[in-house]
Amino acid sequence: MKPVLGVAKFTCEVDSKYSGAVAEKVVQIVTNSRRFTVVDRTSYDKVQQELELQKSEAFLDSKNTVKQDVTLAAENLIVGNILKMSIYAMKNSDGSINGYKSSVAFTLKVIEVETNKTTEAESFQTEVSPLMLSPESAVNEALKSVEPKLSAYFIKTFPLITKICKIITSKKESASTVLIVGGKEFGFKEGDKLIVEKNEMIEGKPYPTQIGEIKIVKIAGNDFSECSVSEGGNEILSRFNAAEKLTCKLIVK
């Protein structure tokens, strides 16, 4: 099941009717990653409200908290604050408006609902948009310039972790190809590389150690991907056969 990510209503240091476009852009980026079930929490006021929601009788009576007829329990909430939203009316020599340009500055942070832990706020500053026919289109064009940074932010904040579920082929007691959980729905693509880690429990906490590396060679539908083993084939095979849990973490370029 995909992690559930809520997007809260953004606070705004400036009064602008176009401020909703920033949250919409964030929702778009997160949704396009295919890694989360995204919940619109624009009526969000305090994190405590989310905690109380999840403690409610509706959730306690539900075997599966993620139910359409109740609501979706967000594990993390994205909280944003718009610091600046500049819209410039560009005028012709006769004083008539030729079009609009815009730039936007905002911060994002993520709150883990259960623990109330908060990541450090990350700042985003758009470039000035090209000349556009309306203020709204100028804001949207400006926001396009931070799409790569937004995508990188979510990859960094939510590392993509999966597991090996099957050894497909092996040779001389070494794994050659493996099957991992996650395909198109995870946003995986052919050529992606992943670190394979074993996890020991030390002082009650997981301690990961890299034991190998794999590369996706075939996306097997929405839910699985086939991978060739680049490093650590012997240890991957022996630990998998010993029923040890091996996790795989996407290498971010």
Side-chain angles (χ1 to χ4, degrees):
M1 185 179 293
K2 296 181 186 179
V4 183
L5 190 59
V7 180
K9 184 177 181 179
F10 282 27
T11 55
C12 195
E13 303 292 328
V14 292
D15 184 21
S16 174
K17 63 180 180 179
Y18 305 109
S19 58
V22 182
E24 288 173 10
K25 177 58 68 176
V26 171
V27 169
Q28 177 192 348
I29 295 292
V30 176
T31 302
N32 287 349
S33 74
R34 302 181 185 180
R35 289 173 47 200
F36 306 96
T37 297
V38 184
V39 185
D40 185 0
R41 286 267 185 264
T42 52
S43 59
Y44 162 85
D45 197 21
K46 296 178 180 178
V47 175
Q48 192 61 34
Q49 291 178 347
E50 185 70 29
L51 281 168
E52 292 305 315
L53 173 68
Q54 295 185 25
K55 291 175 184 174
S56 70
E57 190 174 342
F59 277 107
L60 293 175
D61 287 347
S62 172
K63 292 181 181 178
N64 180 1
T65 55
V66 183
K67 290 187 71 173
Q68 294 295 332
D69 58 342
V70 181
T71 186
L72 288 171
E75 297 155 21
N76 293 277
L77 286 171
I78 301 169
V79 179
N81 183 34
I82 302 169
L83 305 174
K84 183 188 73 172
M85 179 164 286
S86 301
I87 299 173
Y88 320 96
M90 310 303 291
K91 296 184 177 180
N92 296 313
S93 56
D94 62 0
S96 61
I97 294 177
N98 185 36
Y100 300 87
K101 292 186 177 184
S102 177
S103 65
V104 183
F106 59 98
T107 61
L108 290 181
K109 61 183 178 181
V110 175
I111 301 174
E112 189 179 77
V113 172
E114 186 177 354
T115 64
N116 208 16
K117 287 183 179 177
T118 306
T119 61
E120 287 188 25
E122 181 106 359
S123 299
F124 298 85
Q125 170 67 61
T126 74
E127 298 174 3
V128 177
S129 73
L131 189 67
M132 304 298 292
L133 292 176
S134 69
E136 184 178 16
S137 58
V139 169
N140 286 328
E141 281 298 313
L143 289 170
K144 285 182 181 179
S145 66
V146 291
E147 284 185 8
K149 188 177 179 183
L150 279 170
S151 296
Y153 169 75
F154 288 113
I155 291 172
K156 179 186 73 174
T157 308
F158 300 99
L160 186 49
I161 298 173
T162 184
K163 65 180 180 178
I164 295 174
C165 57
K166 181 181 180 181
I167 304 294
I168 299 175
T169 61
S170 59
K171 186 177 181 181
K172 295 182 179 178
E173 298 184 354
S174 177
S176 304
T177 57
V178 299
L179 191 70
I180 63 171
V181 176
K184 289 180 181 178
E185 288 296 313
F186 259 57
F188 280 141
K189 60 184 183 299
E190 291 180 7
D192 280 348
K193 296 180 180 180
L194 301 95
I195 292 170
V196 181
E197 296 177 330
K198 65 176 182 177
N199 285 277
E200 298 176 82
M201 295 301 292
I202 300 177
E203 297 292 325
K205 296 181 179 179
Y207 179 73
T209 304
Q210 182 176 340
I211 63 169
E213 187 175 307
I214 58 178
K215 179 181 179 181
I216 295 177
V217 293
K218 180 182 177 183
I219 303 296
N222 290 330
D223 302 313
F224 300 99
S225 296
E226 295 180 13
C227 303
S228 61
V229 178
S230 310
E231 299 173 16
N234 291 86
E235 192 165 2
I236 289 172
L237 181 62
S238 62
R239 290 187 178 276
F240 183 86
N241 287 339
E244 293 186 33
K245 184 180 178 181
L246 302 178
T247 57
C248 309
K249 185 183 296 182
L250 180 66
I251 298 173
V252 181
K253 298 176 182 178

